[in-house]
Amino acid sequence: MQVVVGAGAVGSVVARLLVEQGERVRVITRSGSGPDGVERIAADASTELTKYVDGATAIYSCAGPAYDKWTSQWPPLGAALIGAAEASGAVLVTTGNLYGYGAVDRPMTEDLPLLPNTVKGRVRTKLWTDALEAHHAGRIRTAEVRGSDYLGAGAVSPFSVTVLPKVIAGKRGMMPGDLDAPHSWTYVGDVARTLIAVAGDESAWGRAWHAPTPGPVSVRHLADRAALMAGAPKAKVAAMPGWILKLAGLVDPSAREMVEMQYQWQRPFVLDSTAATVAFGLQPTATDDALREMIGKGK
C-alpha cells in the first residue's frame, strides 16, 4: 500500500500515477477528498496519521498548512510524518521547495548549503533536517523532492493567482518583482513523477532531489505565451510596487506572508535539476505544455 498525505496539485497526481501502476493507494486529507480509484480517509494527519499507515511501503508528504499557519502547524505535521514512517517502516518522501537555500546568486543545486533568510525558509529547513537526522539515526528512511514555482493544473503561485487570470481575461496583471528576471517553473506532474521514482529507489534515499525543470523564463515571457495560447489580447503585466503588497497584507494573510519571499522575484531564480534527470532518466515537461494545461483547466 502507498499512502499519500494531501490531495492538492501534486498529491492528486501522485495518487493517480500510482493507481495507474496498479498500486493500492490511500489518500489522507482533512476533508476526505482525493481522486477516483483510491481509498480516501478524512483525518488530521498531524494527530492521526500513524493509525492509517500500517502496511504502507511509502508515505508521500504532499500536504501543507495555509501559508500564514506554517510556524504553528508545520512542526506537528512534520513530527507526525516522521513518527508514521518510524512506526510503519515506510519510506517517507517529502514534497519540498527552494526556500531553504535563501537568496543565492547562482543556479540552485542540491549540494548548496541550507541558509534560509526567511521565517518560512527556516520552517522548511527544520522539517528536512529533522527527517534527515532520523534517517541517519536509522529510525526512518527518507528523501525530499524540491521544485520551483509550480505550473500545471491546480498549481498555486503568485503568477497563477495575480497574473494568469488577468491575462486570459485581456486585463492587466500585476506582480511584485522584476518581470524580466529569469525564473524557473516546475510542472506539478514532474514533481509527482520524481517523488515516485525516489520512493522506489533505495539508493536515492537520504538526500534531496530537484524535480526535472526546464530552462528559466521570465514572468513577462510566461504571460505573453499564456495570452497567445488563450487567444487573448497581447499580455499586459506591470510590476506591483512593494508598498501595495504590504498594504494588501494588512487585510489578506496570504499577501502578508508573501512579503518576505519577494527576494525570489527580484533577481534571477534558477533551479538546476541535472542530478534527477541523470539518475532517473526523467525529462522536464515543456513550459508551454504545463502552461497550456493550466489554461485548459481555466486556472
Side-chain angles (χ1 to χ4, degrees), residues 164 168 225-227 229-230 290-299:
L164 184 59
I168 292 175
R225 296 298 299 163
M229 291 177 193
L291 191 57
R292 189 175 293 110
E293 181 177 286
M294 296 178 79
I295 294 169
K297 294 291 184 179
K299 180 65 182 177

Side-chain angles (χ1 to χ4, degrees), residues 17 38 63 76 103-104 124 131 161 184 190 196 199 201 220 231 276 297 299:
L17 290 175
V38 305
V104 297
R124 292 297 325 202
V161 172
S184 289
D190 292 338
I196 293 171
D201 185 348
R220 195 182 308 278
K297 294 291 184 179
K299 180 65 182 177

